[in-house]
Amino acid sequence: MADAVENGLPEDSSKVVIYQYYSSYWSQMVRLACVEKGIPFTKVEIDLVKGENYNPDYLRINPACEVPALAHNGKIIDGSQPIIDYLDQISVHDKPQGQRQEEIEAFRRECCQLPMAEITVGVVLNPTLLEGAKVPEKTMENFSKRVNRRAVLEENIVKYPELADAYRAKLERVIATEVQVANVATIYDLLKNLERYLDNVDGLLRINAAENRGKDSYEWLFGKDFTNADIALAILLARLDLLGLAGRLWDVTDRIYLADYYRRLKERPSFRQECVPYISEDHA
């Protein structure tokens, strides 16, 4: 466990500190948002594979035992979406207004409601579920190293009685997820719903291309600016790529506008810096 967690909040509270894990879906979203909004930040690594998010010192930062969490000016904010809302408040960048902002936030909410934890675990446990998809070996290997979450939580309930309620609540969520991902039919249905969602995104991008042909004003979902909607979609596409689903869910013949969007996305410096579409040698 990092010293920064064991010793409580950072000494310099004026700095933005993100408690995160490099490949965590929601941690990537917050890191990408920080870069896009021009907000410098310091990372504190909470290793989910080793179960450091269940350490009592971290529990006092995020009682849900989850990442990310943000510390700034004496405040602690838990959860990716409240954090991104806070980053919008402190960012000096201009923000979209009016109907356009409403459309951006509606897209962001829908994208963030996708059950990506269940889809991620379900695909890893059932790598042949979708024809034409292959989960990369390093992704499988990294997943196999995870700590036994139930065992750690059950042990901590006894070991830290003053924190038992928080540990029990997390244990209930872990069990509920495990029950859901054990049902292959459920995972298959989630993937089919995901494909319908991607159809809608591809349709939006197709309309943008038709209405703005020859212009540079619609490079991203809602114009020339890379907004919170793009941040949410970027992390979704990176995760699907990590699971080996990119070629299965979009390519030059199917969802071609989404494929072109992802091609441009991978060229964006912030995406290359903060997103994890594959497990690198450093983290294998």
Side-chain angles (χ1 to χ4, degrees):
M1 174 63 66
D3 289 343
V5 175
E6 292 179 351
N7 295 335
L9 295 179
E11 291 184 5
D12 185 355
S13 65
S14 67
K15 293 182 178 179
V16 171
V17 176
I18 305 293
Y19 298 88
Q20 57 88 50
Y21 183 56
Y22 86 101
S23 65
S24 152
Y25 189 86
W26 303 111
S27 296
Q28 292 177 69
M29 196 174 294
V30 166
R31 296 197 312 262
L32 182 60
C34 282
V35 175
E36 288 291 342
K37 298 174 192 299
I39 299 173
F41 64 100
T42 299
K43 293 183 284 190
V44 175
E45 188 86 346
I46 306 298
D47 194 327
L48 303 187
V49 172
K50 295 179 180 178
E52 289 182 350
N53 52 313
Y54 305 130
N55 185 294
D57 294 307
Y58 184 68
L59 189 73
R60 295 180 176 94
I61 293 173
N62 189 332
C65 303
E66 295 170 356
V67 292
L70 174 147
H72 184 231
N73 286 339
K75 302 175 184 175
I76 289 287
I77 301 173
D78 298 328
S80 62
Q81 301 316 296
I83 290 173
I84 290 175
D85 290 339
Y86 179 76
L87 295 176
D88 280 334
Q89 294 174 25
I90 65 174
S91 172
V92 298
H93 288 195
D94 291 336
K95 302 169 184 64
Q97 302 295 325
Q99 182 178 350
R100 182 166 172 268
Q101 175 64 4
E102 292 175 5
E103 292 172 349
I104 289 168
E105 289 307 307
F107 185 100
R108 169 192 170 194
R109 285 193 300 272
E110 184 179 12
C111 189
C112 290
Q113 285 171 357
L114 293 169
M116 289 310 300
E118 290 80 1
I119 288 174
T120 297
V121 178
V123 168
V124 171
L125 294 178
N126 304 278
T128 60
L129 190 59
L130 286 182
E131 183 180 353
K134 187 177 189 304
V135 181
E137 289 184 9
K138 285 183 180 176
T139 300
M140 297 284 287
E141 180 183 346
N142 196 59
F143 183 83
S144 69
K145 295 177 180 177
R146 288 195 318 170
V147 69
N148 184 324
R149 299 185 298 170
R150 279 205 203 194
V152 172
L153 287 165
E154 288 169 352
E155 178 182 344
N156 284 0
I157 287 171
V158 176
K159 193 173 181 180
Y160 306 103
E162 72 281 12
L163 303 173
D165 287 345
Y167 283 127
R168 286 194 189 95
K170 178 61 175 178
L171 180 59
E172 288 177 4
R173 295 194 296 275
V174 166
I175 292 172
T177 299
E178 289 179 351
V179 169
Q180 189 169 20
V181 300
N183 188 322
V184 175
T186 296
I187 301 304
Y188 186 79
D189 288 343
L190 292 179
L191 288 169
K192 287 302 176 184
N193 289 337
L194 172 64
E195 292 195 65
R196 284 189 283 272
Y197 173 79
L198 295 178
D199 283 339
N200 293 336
V201 176
D202 189 68
L204 172 62
L205 294 169
R206 182 176 65 252
I207 292 170
N208 290 349
E211 293 181 349
N212 298 274
R213 198 173 303 279
K215 302 177 184 178
D216 294 329
S217 60
Y218 255 85
E219 184 177 9
W220 303 109
L221 284 166
F222 292 94
K224 64 181 178 62
D225 296 325
F226 197 86
T227 69
N228 286 341
D230 296 283
I231 290 169
L233 182 59
I235 304 309
L236 170 64
L237 300 183
R239 173 53 55 90
L240 296 175
D241 199 358
L242 180 71
L243 294 172
L245 299 178
R248 168 65 173 75
L249 295 175
W250 63 84
D251 60 23
V252 294
T253 61
D254 188 26
R255 301 189 182 97
I256 61 175
Y257 295 95
L258 186 61
D260 185 61
Y261 179 95
Y262 191 56
R263 175 190 60 77
R264 287 182 278 111
L265 189 61
K266 290 193 293 184
E267 295 172 354
R268 193 170 181 86
S270 59
F271 181 90
R272 296 167 66 92
Q273 176 181 329
E274 298 298 344
C275 299
V276 183
Y278 62 90
I279 301 296
S280 68
E281 291 291 343
D282 292 340
H283 293 98

